[in-house]
Amino acid sequence: MEIKRIELLSVGIDVGSATSHLVFSNLILVRDEMSPTLRFNIEERNIIYEGEIIPTPILEDKTIDVDALTAFFKQEYEKAGIDPARIQTGAVIITGESAKKHNARQIAQALSKDAGKLVAATAGPNFESLLAAMGSGATARSRAHGKAILSCDIGGGTSNLAISRNGEVLSTSCIAVGGRLLAMDSEISIRQLADPAVKVMQDIGLNYRLGDRISKEDIGKIASRMAEVLIEVMKGPAKSSLAKQLMVTGDLDFSIPIDEYLFSGGVAEIIYSAKGRYNDIGSILAKRIRSLLPELKSPVVEPVNKIRATVIGAGAYSLSVSGSSGFMDDRLILPIRNIPVLRVDVELAKLSPEHVVSKVNMAFQRHDLLEGQEIVALYFRDPVRVNYPDLELFAKSMETALPNSIAKGLPIVLIFEKDIACSVGKVIRRETGLKTNLLSLDELSLSDGDWIDISEPLVGRQVFPVTVKSLVFPVN
């Protein structure tokens, strides 16, 4: 009987500057009978468990306590009654200031190893912005109401911004404004002071150091300046010197008229309720932001999800599904994790061996990679049509372009935007010396610089779950 519906269990784990938590989601994939390729689409995303939210455990040397985190998440799995072996997709998100800890990669690897199959370790600021927009409900609201919505997810270390319109995220950005950049103890002595907070203090003529007592008046000044900078970059591109210093990415695309604004993240809980008190600058920052909302040119609406926006996005929205006509060598072992995506700009009108080989070489050079150095995913938009002479030419050109990868027995991963993966795979197998280690997928929309995880196929060894992510681990 033909399979028409697939259920996947997904986990989202967020290790943030202030808090850490997880969610489990059930993803429903349904075959599109109207699609010429009968591909599967994700039709439903249902949250089945929202875990406890804890302060992110920090050791005395200011690194994150890996043992405490892994123990906590193990307890959450047990509370939810979920065996890690059942997990089929999802993402670990190391966000904000947590991503700057020198053991961030160790944390991601530890949690990925223990959390189940194909859990992606991710921490790119633009990717976080996209997940927060989706997890907060901003992107779905933009589709339902036909509006352009600017969402702002304010966490402990950063604020992640995105513009969604008609159900798609069109632009993302990030600025170092967050509630955990400055934290005090009960005696109002500074016990946590991040570099962005130092820059804010320098901008307004203050000079505090870690351990100093700080007045409530000066805390208010710092929070007010942070709020002003955040509203500045929400209204338009960063213009002030401080805003430019605090930008983590480029500005949003402000050619898109904004119909509504929406806040999520831990600080947003206080923005909307005006309640909450923490041992950091978050509650004061929220109140200052509330006072500046009239400066925004469009209404501010309340999201479906606030503090859980990123973790819900990680668990429910980080997955893509390939088309139904993939090609895989039976001897390949999946999942394959952390594969860099190299866009190859082969033009259909210029199809020739020389053109294909040169464009593959350029893709490797653009990423400062040597062909055969590691596993990569070569991504093509529209390189060839389904007629045998052209497919044979393309197949032999790929063999010529990847001599070292083939000689070393590395998996050859080819991904196409168009529905041609199975045809390409069969012709490569038939017409070239590349008889093993080939994986060819299609109907995926990727970008140069993405990283992907590819999981075990779901239907007839042709439909593949692909987690698209961004891996960024600053060390300073």
Side-chain angles (χ1 to χ4, degrees), residues 364-380:
F364 278 100
Q365 292 170 7
R366 190 166 61 247
H367 288 259
D368 293 320
L369 294 175
L370 298 176
E371 187 273 314
Q373 184 178 20
E374 61 181 273
I375 302 171
V376 301
L378 300 180
Y379 178 57
F380 303 84

mmCIF file of all heavy atoms in Angstrom, residues 364-380:
data_model
loop_
_atom_site.group_PDB
_atom_site.id
_atom_site.type_symbol
_atom_site.label_atom_id
_atom_site.label_comp_id
_atom_site.label_asym_id
_atom_site.label_seq_id
_atom_site.Cartn_x
_atom_site.Cartn_y
_atom_site.Cartn_z
ATOM 1 N N PHE A 364 34.283 25.399 -4.609
ATOM 2 C CA PHE A 364 35.251 25.014 -3.578
ATOM 3 C C PHE A 364 36.135 26.202 -3.191
ATOM 4 O O PHE A 364 36.395 26.445 -2.003
ATOM 5 C CB PHE A 364 36.116 23.851 -4.073
ATOM 6 C CG PHE A 364 35.483 22.500 -3.925
ATOM 7 C CD1 PHE A 364 34.881 21.873 -5.004
ATOM 8 C CD2 PHE A 364 35.486 21.842 -2.700
ATOM 9 C CE1 PHE A 364 34.293 20.622 -4.875
ATOM 10 C CE2 PHE A 364 34.911 20.589 -2.550
ATOM 11 C CZ PHE A 364 34.301 19.980 -3.646
ATOM 12 N N GLN A 365 36.610 26.942 -4.172
ATOM 13 C CA GLN A 365 37.481 28.083 -3.905
ATOM 14 C C GLN A 365 36.778 29.150 -3.076
ATOM 15 O O GLN A 365 37.377 29.761 -2.181
ATOM 16 C CB GLN A 365 37.970 28.681 -5.229
ATOM 17 C CG GLN A 365 38.919 27.776 -6.002
ATOM 18 C CD GLN A 365 39.181 28.282 -7.411
ATOM 19 O OE1 GLN A 365 38.762 29.375 -7.787
ATOM 20 N NE2 GLN A 365 39.864 27.468 -8.214
ATOM 21 N N ARG A 366 35.493 29.368 -3.363
ATOM 22 C CA ARG A 366 34.729 30.396 -2.648
ATOM 23 C C ARG A 366 34.652 30.082 -1.151
ATOM 24 O O ARG A 366 34.540 30.981 -0.320
ATOM 25 C CB ARG A 366 33.333 30.488 -3.254
ATOM 26 C CG ARG A 366 32.511 31.673 -2.780
ATOM 27 C CD ARG A 366 31.277 31.911 -3.642
ATOM 28 N NE ARG A 366 30.372 30.774 -3.627
ATOM 29 C CZ ARG A 366 30.115 29.990 -4.685
ATOM 30 N NH1 ARG A 366 30.723 30.217 -5.841
ATOM 31 N NH2 ARG A 366 29.265 29.003 -4.596
ATOM 32 N N HIS A 367 34.721 28.821 -0.804
ATOM 33 C CA HIS A 367 34.662 28.407 0.603
ATOM 34 C C HIS A 367 36.041 28.058 1.168
ATOM 35 O O HIS A 367 36.129 27.514 2.278
ATOM 36 C CB HIS A 367 33.728 27.207 0.742
ATOM 37 C CG HIS A 367 32.276 27.547 0.573
ATOM 38 N ND1 HIS A 367 31.421 27.698 1.638
ATOM 39 C CD2 HIS A 367 31.541 27.785 -0.539
ATOM 40 C CE1 HIS A 367 30.222 28.004 1.193
ATOM 41 N NE2 HIS A 367 30.259 28.059 -0.124
ATOM 42 N N ASP A 368 37.085 28.361 0.413
ATOM 43 C CA ASP A 368 38.457 28.050 0.845
ATOM 44 C C ASP A 368 38.618 26.568 1.166
ATOM 45 O O ASP A 368 39.305 26.186 2.126
ATOM 46 C CB ASP A 368 38.853 28.890 2.069
ATOM 47 C CG ASP A 368 38.954 30.368 1.735
ATOM 48 O OD1 ASP A 368 39.462 30.688 0.648
ATOM 49 O OD2 ASP A 368 38.505 31.193 2.547
ATOM 50 N N LEU A 369 37.985 25.729 0.378
ATOM 51 C CA LEU A 369 38.080 24.284 0.549
ATOM 52 C C LEU A 369 38.802 23.651 -0.632
ATOM 53 O O LEU A 369 38.748 24.170 -1.746
ATOM 54 C CB LEU A 369 36.679 23.663 0.666
ATOM 55 C CG LEU A 369 35.857 24.030 1.901
ATOM 56 C CD1 LEU A 369 34.462 23.436 1.796
ATOM 57 C CD2 LEU A 369 36.548 23.549 3.173
ATOM 58 N N LEU A 370 39.468 22.549 -0.371
ATOM 59 C CA LEU A 370 40.102 21.772 -1.425
ATOM 60 C C LEU A 370 39.205 20.589 -1.758
ATOM 61 O O LEU A 370 38.688 19.916 -0.854
ATOM 62 C CB LEU A 370 41.478 21.280 -0.985
ATOM 63 C CG LEU A 370 42.518 22.354 -0.668
ATOM 64 C CD1 LEU A 370 43.793 21.698 -0.140
ATOM 65 C CD2 LEU A 370 42.830 23.184 -1.912
ATOM 66 N N GLU A 371 39.021 20.321 -3.021
ATOM 67 C CA GLU A 371 38.197 19.190 -3.442
ATOM 68 C C GLU A 371 38.809 17.899 -2.901
ATOM 69 O O GLU A 371 39.999 17.649 -3.053
ATOM 70 C CB GLU A 371 38.118 19.143 -4.974
ATOM 71 C CG GLU A 371 37.148 18.102 -5.518
ATOM 72 C CD GLU A 371 37.792 16.734 -5.690
ATOM 73 O OE1 GLU A 371 38.921 16.671 -6.239
ATOM 74 O OE2 GLU A 371 37.178 15.741 -5.255
ATOM 75 N N GLY A 372 37.988 17.088 -2.224
ATOM 76 C CA GLY A 372 38.470 15.861 -1.614
ATOM 77 C C GLY A 372 38.907 16.019 -0.174
ATOM 78 O O GLY A 372 39.252 15.034 0.484
ATOM 79 N N GLN A 373 38.888 17.235 0.338
ATOM 80 C CA GLN A 373 39.320 17.488 1.715
ATOM 81 C C GLN A 373 38.295 16.989 2.727
ATOM 82 O O GLN A 373 38.656 16.493 3.800
ATOM 83 C CB GLN A 373 39.543 18.996 1.898
ATOM 84 C CG GLN A 373 40.071 19.428 3.242
ATOM 85 C CD GLN A 373 40.302 20.939 3.300
ATOM 86 O OE1 GLN A 373 39.753 21.700 2.504
ATOM 87 N NE2 GLN A 373 41.119 21.373 4.226
ATOM 88 N N GLU A 374 37.015 17.128 2.424
ATOM 89 C CA GLU A 374 35.950 16.722 3.330
ATOM 90 C C GLU A 374 34.666 16.515 2.544
ATOM 91 O O GLU A 374 34.572 16.850 1.356
ATOM 92 C CB GLU A 374 35.720 17.791 4.402
ATOM 93 C CG GLU A 374 35.290 19.139 3.848
ATOM 94 C CD GLU A 374 35.096 20.176 4.947
ATOM 95 O OE1 GLU A 374 33.978 20.230 5.494
ATOM 96 O OE2 GLU A 374 36.060 20.917 5.239
ATOM 97 N N ILE A 375 33.654 15.957 3.216
ATOM 98 C CA ILE A 375 32.348 15.776 2.586
ATOM 99 C C ILE A 375 31.684 17.135 2.418
ATOM 100 O O ILE A 375 31.646 17.938 3.350
ATOM 101 C CB ILE A 375 31.443 14.875 3.448
ATOM 102 C CG1 ILE A 375 32.083 13.516 3.691
ATOM 103 C CG2 ILE A 375 30.072 14.696 2.784
ATOM 104 C CD1 ILE A 375 31.330 12.669 4.705
ATOM 105 N N VAL A 376 31.178 17.403 1.228
ATOM 106 C CA VAL A 376 30.415 18.616 0.969
ATOM 107 C C VAL A 376 29.136 18.234 0.228
ATOM 108 O O VAL A 376 29.025 17.140 -0.329
ATOM 109 C CB VAL A 376 31.215 19.647 0.140
ATOM 110 C CG1 VAL A 376 32.504 20.037 0.844
ATOM 111 C CG2 VAL A 376 31.500 19.115 -1.261
ATOM 112 N N ALA A 377 28.174 19.142 0.237
ATOM 113 C CA ALA A 377 26.964 18.974 -0.564
ATOM 114 C C ALA A 377 26.998 20.018 -1.679
ATOM 115 O O ALA A 377 27.019 21.220 -1.408
ATOM 116 C CB ALA A 377 25.717 19.159 0.293
ATOM 117 N N LEU A 378 27.075 19.562 -2.922
ATOM 118 C CA LEU A 378 27.064 20.470 -4.063
ATOM 119 C C LEU A 378 25.617 20.743 -4.448
ATOM 120 O O LEU A 378 24.853 19.810 -4.735
ATOM 121 C CB LEU A 378 27.833 19.863 -5.235
ATOM 122 C CG LEU A 378 29.315 19.546 -4.975
ATOM 123 C CD1 LEU A 378 29.956 18.956 -6.226
ATOM 124 C CD2 LEU A 378 30.067 20.792 -4.524
ATOM 125 N N TYR A 379 25.253 22.021 -4.448
ATOM 126 C CA TYR A 379 23.851 22.403 -4.660
ATOM 127 C C TYR A 379 23.692 23.105 -6.004
ATOM 128 O O TYR A 379 24.360 24.099 -6.284
ATOM 129 C CB TYR A 379 23.397 23.323 -3.527
ATOM 130 C CG TYR A 379 21.981 23.822 -3.673
ATOM 131 C CD1 TYR A 379 20.922 22.930 -3.792
ATOM 132 C CD2 TYR A 379 21.702 25.182 -3.672
ATOM 133 C CE1 TYR A 379 19.615 23.380 -3.908
ATOM 134 C CE2 TYR A 379 20.402 25.645 -3.788
ATOM 135 C CZ TYR A 379 19.358 24.740 -3.906
ATOM 136 O OH TYR A 379 18.071 25.195 -4.031
ATOM 137 N N PHE A 380 22.792 22.573 -6.822
ATOM 138 C CA PHE A 380 22.550 23.087 -8.167
ATOM 139 C C PHE A 380 21.112 23.579 -8.286
ATOM 140 O O PHE A 380 20.175 22.908 -7.851
ATOM 141 C CB PHE A 380 22.782 21.991 -9.218
ATOM 142 C CG PHE A 380 24.157 21.376 -9.192
ATOM 143 C CD1 PHE A 380 24.451 20.337 -8.308
ATOM 144 C CD2 PHE A 380 25.147 21.826 -10.040
ATOM 145 C CE1 PHE A 380 25.711 19.762 -8.286
ATOM 146 C CE2 PHE A 380 26.419 21.258 -10.025
ATOM 147 C CZ PHE A 380 26.700 20.220 -9.145
#
